[in-house]
Amino acid sequence: MDLSILIVNYNTRQLTVDCLQSVYASRTAYTYEVIVIDNDSQDDSVAVIRKQFPQVTLIQNRENTGFAKANNQGMEISEGRYLLLLNSDTLVQDDTLQVMLDFMEERTDLGASGCKVVLPDGGLDKACKRGFPTPSASFYYVSGLGRLFPQKREFNQYQLGYLDPDQEYPVDCLVGAFMLVRRETVQQVGGLDETFFMYGEDIDWCYRIKAAGWGIHYTPRTQIVHYKGGSARRRSFKIIYEFHRAMLLFHRKHYHKRYNLWINGAVYLGIGLKMTLSLLLNRLKPSRPALRPVTTAAPAPAAVEVES
């Protein structure tokens, strides 16, 4: 098996169906399997996926285990030489799998790679190519200096706005919405850190991959669409909390010992203030229906179901 595609589903039935249809409509000479891990969805996701995509290996959890643990479950039963983390709210192009696997076959020094990720309006999902969130990079990003001076390298250490998204280059980290990883790399560094529930695990994984000596590369040779924010505009407390907890976890795990008391204190205080402000602003936002991609046609031929 060349590729194992891992998709975590949590109450996103239509988005997941559209994502799967785009995968099966793609053209590639590589062999692949698709593993869907359902985190105790309360909609009819499991029944629909089982009916429409019997070829999918389905893991049905009895609780919401989070993004990291769910993907690790998929990795444990996967057989591919490569592993692809793919968000349920994405659509791949016809050539995406072929192009990205060709790229990894060419570049045996790479532990992971990612393609260009665009939003429904055609804009770039800036998370697809990032630097590590060091204290200085985080300060410039949160303060807005990065947006004011998008071409300034110093102020864009995190989102790398000074780099052309239509060029190919090494980066620090990719986005978990589309992240292609070599099996040998996973065997060396381990899976996703399950301390992270649903944010930050991709950055942490990339940090460990690079620390182990593997390269990480961004390429625009192909692209996917990411329906980011496929749920209501107003976020739950859980989502806001986990987003900011991930910041704290990453800094404490990788940077705390490298900086003095004052810098660490400033980082933790900044995270707390940012979370408080996010909660206040969130209450003022109106809710809206989930974004939904246009369904693409695809064949649906054989499912293994695993309960956990």
Side-chain angles (χ1 to χ4, degrees), residues 12 55 57 66 78 93 199 285:
T12 55
Q55 71 272 51
T57 299
S78 65
Q93 291 189 328
Y199 292 105
K285 292 181 179 179

Side-chain angles (χ1 to χ4, degrees), residues 64 66-68 196-201 238-239 242-243 245-246:
N64 184 0
F67 186 79
F196 297 88
F197 185 78
M198 62 181 295
Y199 292 105
E201 65 288 306
K238 174 72 171 175
I239 289 176
E242 290 296 343
F243 180 80
R245 187 177 79 95

Side-chain angles (χ1 to χ4, degrees), residues 170-183:
V171 294
D172 284 338
C173 50
L174 308 163
V175 64
F178 186 99
M179 189 171 172
L180 183 59
V181 186
R182 197 178 300 275
R183 170 75 65 177

Side-chain angles (χ1 to χ4, degrees), residues 149-221:
F149 306 99
Q151 298 305 315
K152 286 283 188 179
R153 186 187 188 102
E154 180 183 359
F155 295 150
N156 282 271
Q157 300 171 36
Y158 180 59
Q159 289 193 329
L160 308 180
Y162 58 92
L163 294 177
D164 185 350
D166 292 321
Q167 297 295 317
E168 200 170 273
Y169 35 74
V171 294
D172 284 338
C173 50
L174 308 163
V175 64
F178 186 99
M179 189 171 172
L180 183 59
V181 186
R182 197 178 300 275
R183 170 75 65 177
E184 298 96 306
T185 305
V186 178
Q187 291 171 338
Q188 182 178 352
V189 307
L192 296 168
D193 184 345
E194 296 177 13
T195 309
F196 297 88
F197 185 78
M198 62 181 295
Y199 292 105
E201 65 288 306
D202 48 0
I203 300 177
D204 171 77
W205 212 21
C206 287
Y207 191 96
R208 289 185 284 132
I209 288 171
K210 291 201 75 171
W214 292 94
I216 296 177
H217 228 77
Y218 164 83
T219 177
R221 296 184 190 184

Side-chain angles (χ1 to χ4, degrees), residues 122-165:
L124 181 72
D125 181 352
K126 297 177 182 178
C128 67
K129 56 176 187 67
R130 292 176 286 178
F132 290 128
T134 61
S136 62
S138 300
F139 171 76
Y140 293 134
Y141 173 69
V142 173
S143 68
L145 286 170
R147 289 189 295 276
L148 286 174
F149 306 99
Q151 298 305 315
K152 286 283 188 179
R153 186 187 188 102
E154 180 183 359
F155 295 150
N156 282 271
Q157 300 171 36
Y158 180 59
Q159 289 193 329
L160 308 180
Y162 58 92
L163 294 177
D164 185 350

Side-chain angles (χ1 to χ4, degrees), residues 19-205:
C19 176
L20 288 169
Q21 287 179 331
S22 75
V23 167
Y24 287 116
S26 63
R27 295 184 294 242
T28 178
Y30 293 99
T31 57
Y32 65 90
E33 62 178 348
V34 180
I35 302 171
V36 173
I37 308 93
D38 183 80
N39 267 338
D40 194 30
S41 294
Q42 300 305 301
D43 60 10
D44 58 350
S45 292
V46 171
V48 170
I49 292 169
R50 186 186 295 131
K51 179 180 180 180
Q52 294 191 27
F53 304 95
Q55 71 272 51
V56 165
T57 299
L58 180 63
I59 298 177
Q60 187 176 356
N61 288 326
R62 300 303 185 189
E63 61 178 340
N64 184 0
T65 62
F67 186 79
K69 185 171 183 177
N71 273 299
N72 285 344
Q73 288 178 277
M75 290 183 212
E76 288 173 7
I77 65 170
S78 65
E79 299 179 357
R81 297 186 296 116
Y82 295 97
L83 299 161
L84 174 63
L85 302 191
L86 185 66
N87 261 30
S88 63
D89 59 348
T90 62
L91 295 178
V92 301
Q93 291 189 328
D94 290 351
D95 68 347
T96 300
L97 302 182
Q98 183 70 37
V99 168
M100 292 306 298
L101 285 166
D102 282 346
F103 181 63
M104 290 295 281
E105 293 284 86
E106 293 171 15
R107 296 292 306 271
T108 57
D109 59 313
L110 299 183
S113 66
C115 66
K116 188 175 184 180
V117 180
V118 298
L119 302 172
D121 63 3
L124 181 72
D125 181 352
K126 297 177 182 178
C128 67
K129 56 176 187 67
R130 292 176 286 178
F132 290 128
T134 61
S136 62
S138 300
F139 171 76
Y140 293 134
Y141 173 69
V142 173
S143 68
L145 286 170
R147 289 189 295 276
L148 286 174
F149 306 99
Q151 298 305 315
K152 286 283 188 179
R153 186 187 188 102
E154 180 183 359
F155 295 150
N156 282 271
Q157 300 171 36
Y158 180 59
Q159 289 193 329
L160 308 180
Y162 58 92
L163 294 177
D164 185 350
D166 292 321
Q167 297 295 317
E168 200 170 273
Y169 35 74
V171 294
D172 284 338
C173 50
L174 308 163
V175 64
F178 186 99
M179 189 171 172
L180 183 59
V181 186
R182 197 178 300 275
R183 170 75 65 177
E184 298 96 306
T185 305
V186 178
Q187 291 171 338
Q188 182 178 352
V189 307
L192 296 168
D193 184 345
E194 296 177 13
T195 309
F196 297 88
F197 185 78
M198 62 181 295
Y199 292 105
E201 65 288 306
D202 48 0
I203 300 177
D204 171 77
W205 212 21

